[in-house]
Amino acid sequence: MNAQLVPTPRHLSVGDNVQCVLNASTTLAAGPGTGTTERWLRGTLGAALGLALPPGPAGAPGTITLTTAPEMPPEDYRLDTTGGAVRITGGGPPGVFWAAQTLRQLLGPDAFRRAPINPETVWSLPAVRIEDGPRFSWRGMMLDVARHFLPKDDVLRYLDLLAAHKLNVFHFHLTDDQGWRIEIKRHPRLTEVGSWRARTKYGHRASELWDETPYGGYYTQDDIREIVAYAAERHIRVVPEIDIPGHSQAAIAAYPWLGNTDVVDTAALEVWDNWGVSPNILAPTDATLRFYEDVLTEVLELFPPHVSPFVHIGGDECPKDQWHRSPAAQTRIAELGLADEDGLQSWFIRHFDRWLTARGRRLIGWDEILEGGLAEGAAVSSWRGYAGGIAAAEAGHDVVMCPEQQVYLDHRQHGGPDEPMPIGYVRTLEDVYRFEPVPAGLSPEAARHILGTQANVWTEVMQNRSRVDYQVFPRLAAFAEVAWSPLPAPAERDYPAFEARMTAHYARLDALGVDYRPPGGPLPRQRRPGVLGRPIEGAPPEV
């Protein structure tokens, strides 16, 4: 029996034949350290079931009992529904919470609604014993809100969707060439100017279509505090990303002196309205460093260390032509005794690595931060393939595997003509299910540096929540199982069994209102006929 659970648990056995029923007399006994799950059970699951779940005696029939067992790993749990009661034990608060997500799945798809739809429903549970825990400690999703902004409530909804799939890292891509999305009180023009663009490319950058509506938005500092608190209640870490030294045109549009003023008329720059890689990058000046120290000081205040031990500083796709032509940049290279412009980028990264380390945080960046020498203590998001992650891990640096060719969810899901704005390689549900985060041949010592994996969601062609849903789901369910469950080698994975479990999971997604891609292809309203994408044919390379 697998109880149709996604992700699949490490061990599940069928108990006695006594069904456990939750009804108006069901009580909830919450032991020390289980408060987040207690609140979630009453506020979210209880609302769906129409049950108050008042306090009751631990271990009694008809009671949901929550306890912790410090001898277990913090995210591991045991769930027992035999004998007419529910007993949840977690190694720590996160394990208790993940057990509650499993409990919700056992109750059926209507448990994923916000209110009961049938007052006559009998909420019965199969009699099972489950012992479970994650393969990786970093199980994440990156959401780009710079290209297309998602309102705060949509971000909170995505945190709920991550939690429902036992994903525990939310990488929050807050700044880019096309928009600055976080309020910084020391530098208000970042949102007054940098959060708005005059128009937006519709489709791939090669498309001739434009949306001429001014576009933008940002999160106030109180919005950010709410998002972070909401994530913490769900045992999700938040990794804020502030991009440097590339992908910075929105910041330069707000404060032109941040750019390379000796080679570019930065005062004429606006927030970028197109996609791709902007040539406009930060100037390597002390004033730029002080500016971003101001920014990161406020970021650290908003993202406290227990929720955000890592801060992402980008470091990717930084074209260095302006530095090559800039007398000021060349002078800085000479002053610092650097070999070239790659060394200058490394200087940027190393500065903020030291700065963050001194404040008790860890820097993480895209794998380009390897160029010019990797900052001591920095971790790497390996996006261009496996190679950067392999090099970093073999050198003793921690790595999050997120190779573009495998787990970029903006890539299309099918090769057919109806896929909306098709980008990149075809990455089907099965392709994602067969993704392996730890590359073959990695030494055992290096393999210990693979913190885990994340799926990345870049939103250039995702104008709203429905488009994000379509690209992310159902593939995020397959990714969650890869990140959580101890699966066999990719070729040996039982995809038909996973696909069968997805039948039940689609009903859960329906109840949650997720606008996923149906197995038979996009619905008519999900298509975008005539809008140019950038499909890449053939199988993606493993690089």
Side-chain angles (χ1 to χ4, degrees):
M1 176 183 180
N2 60 27
Q4 306 300 305
L5 298 175
V6 177
T8 191
R10 181 190 303 157
H11 177 75
L12 183 151
S13 62
V14 180
D16 54 46
N17 291 322
V18 179
Q19 273 198 333
C20 178
V21 176
L22 305 186
N23 54 35
S25 63
T26 300
T27 57
L28 176 60
T34 67
T36 54
T37 302
E38 177 187 15
R39 289 188 290 274
W40 184 86
L41 284 170
R42 288 204 176 101
T44 300
L45 188 60
L49 307 184
L51 304 179
L53 303 177
T63 297
I64 302 171
T65 301
L66 311 178
T67 57
T68 58
E71 70 274 9
M72 296 166 59
E75 291 195 285
D76 282 24
Y77 69 86
R78 293 191 295 267
L79 171 62
D80 191 327
T81 63
T82 62
V86 177
R87 293 172 294 280
I88 287 175
T89 303
V96 177
F97 185 72
W98 304 134
Q101 304 309 308
T102 300
L103 175 67
R104 188 190 199 185
Q105 290 197 13
L106 291 171
L107 285 164
D110 286 348
F112 288 77
R113 298 188 179 276
R114 295 188 183 186
I117 60 174
N118 181 359
E120 306 304 319
T121 297
V122 176
W123 299 103
S124 60
L125 289 158
V128 295
R129 296 184 181 93
I130 296 173
E131 295 181 4
D132 201 8
R135 179 186 178 191
F136 293 109
S137 63
W138 186 300
R139 308 179 303 279
M141 188 189 91
M142 187 224 73
L143 182 62
D144 165 23
V145 295
R147 274 53 175 266
H148 278 102
F149 178 70
L150 277 187
K152 179 198 67 178
D153 284 353
D154 289 344
V155 174
L156 299 178
R157 172 179 176 269
Y158 256 86
L159 291 171
D160 281 330
L161 291 172
L162 296 187
H165 292 82
K166 299 187 176 73
L167 297 172
N168 69 340
V169 175
F170 178 58
H171 178 166
F172 205 7
H173 185 82
L174 288 162
T175 73
D176 217 298
D177 299 308
Q178 296 86 359
W180 185 284
R181 305 294 179 216
I182 178 172
E183 178 187 26
I184 301 297
K185 292 187 182 295
R186 288 175 177 86
H187 301 296
R189 286 178 58 85
L190 286 171
T191 47
E192 291 170 0
V193 174
S195 70
W196 298 93
R197 57 180 181 255
R199 62 176 187 168
T200 298
K201 175 66 73 173
Y202 191 55
H204 183 256
R205 61 181 176 271
S207 166
E208 296 181 356
L209 302 176
W210 292 90
D211 183 341
E212 299 290 346
T213 307
Y215 184 90
Y218 67 91
Y219 308 104
T220 68
Q221 294 204 347
D222 282 345
D223 290 339
I224 294 291
R225 292 184 180 99
E226 181 182 356
I227 289 167
V228 169
Y230 199 84
E233 276 283 298
R234 286 147 185 79
H235 301 280
I236 295 171
R237 286 174 284 157
V238 183
V239 180
E241 181 176 356
I242 306 296
D243 243 319
I244 58 171
H247 286 293
S248 298
Q249 185 164 325
I252 296 168
Y255 293 95
W257 55 267
L258 290 171
N260 295 282
T261 57
D262 54 348
V263 293
V264 178
D265 180 10
T266 56
L269 292 178
E270 297 180 344
V271 177
W272 209 22
D273 57 13
N274 210 332
W275 314 130
V277 180
S278 168
N280 297 297
I281 66 174
L282 298 174
T285 65
D286 289 341
T288 299
L289 297 183
R290 300 294 88 77
F291 180 93
Y292 277 87
E293 288 171 1
D294 286 348
V295 168
L296 289 169
T297 295
E298 294 193 26
V299 167
L300 297 191
E301 292 168 354
L302 295 169
F303 295 86
H306 70 283
V307 183
S308 302
F310 286 88
V311 175
H312 207 291
I313 48 70
D316 63 316
E317 296 181 325
C318 179
K320 301 177 179 68
D321 178 66
Q322 289 183 1
W323 286 348
H324 184 72
R325 294 187 291 116
S326 163
Q330 292 302 310
T331 298
R332 175 66 26 124
I333 289 171
E335 289 173 350
L336 296 170
L338 303 174
D340 53 21
E341 291 80 13
D342 283 347
L344 198 54
Q345 174 164 334
S346 180
W347 168 79
F348 255 108
I349 305 304
R350 287 175 185 273
H351 173 85
F352 286 104
D353 179 59
R354 292 190 298 269
W355 191 92
L356 288 166
T357 299
R359 288 154 181 81
R361 307 298 180 97
R362 290 191 64 188
L363 180 148
I364 185 168
W366 303 110
D367 55 51
E368 285 96 330
I369 67 173
L370 291 162
E371 298 166 4
L374 186 58
E376 184 178 352
V380 170
S381 301
S382 188
W383 78 271
R384 289 180 294 180
Y386 288 106
I390 292 170
E394 294 287 4
H397 293 272
D398 289 340
V399 174
V400 176
M401 281 293 185
C402 49
E404 172 187 17
Q405 302 84 356
Q406 311 297 327
V407 287
Y408 268 35
L409 299 185
D410 45 307
H411 283 217
R412 58 195 171 131
Q413 302 182 65
H414 192 273
D418 290 331
E419 289 304 303
M421 304 185 194
I423 299 296
Y425 296 103
V426 172
R427 293 286 86 196
T428 65
L429 183 67
E430 181 173 359
D431 290 329
V432 174
Y433 191 67
R434 298 194 188 280
F435 164 61
E436 173 49 48
V438 180
L442 205 60
S443 70
E445 175 61 29
R448 284 191 282 272
H449 284 286
I450 305 298
L451 298 177
T453 183
Q454 74 181 31
N456 293 340
V457 183
W458 300 102
T459 61
E460 286 93 337
V461 297
M462 303 179 210
Q463 294 80 15
N464 52 43
R465 185 178 88 176
S466 289
R467 282 287 295 121
V468 174
D469 279 3
Y470 180 90
Q471 293 299 134
V472 170
F473 288 99
R475 293 183 295 181
L476 193 71
F479 175 81
E481 184 148 312
V482 168
W484 177 275
S485 305
L487 300 177
E492 299 167 11
R493 293 176 189 172
D494 191 348
Y495 178 72
F498 171 76
E499 196 172 28
R501 282 184 284 120
M502 281 300 296
T503 300
H505 202 64
Y506 286 123
R508 298 173 191 134
L509 296 178
D510 286 332
L512 287 166
V514 177
D515 201 8
Y516 59 86
R517 182 190 189 275
L523 301 172
R525 62 175 172 75
Q526 293 173 321
R527 300 168 188 163
R528 298 291 184 275
V531 184
L532 190 66
R534 180 178 165 265
I536 304 174
E537 301 304 331
E542 289 208 5
V543 294

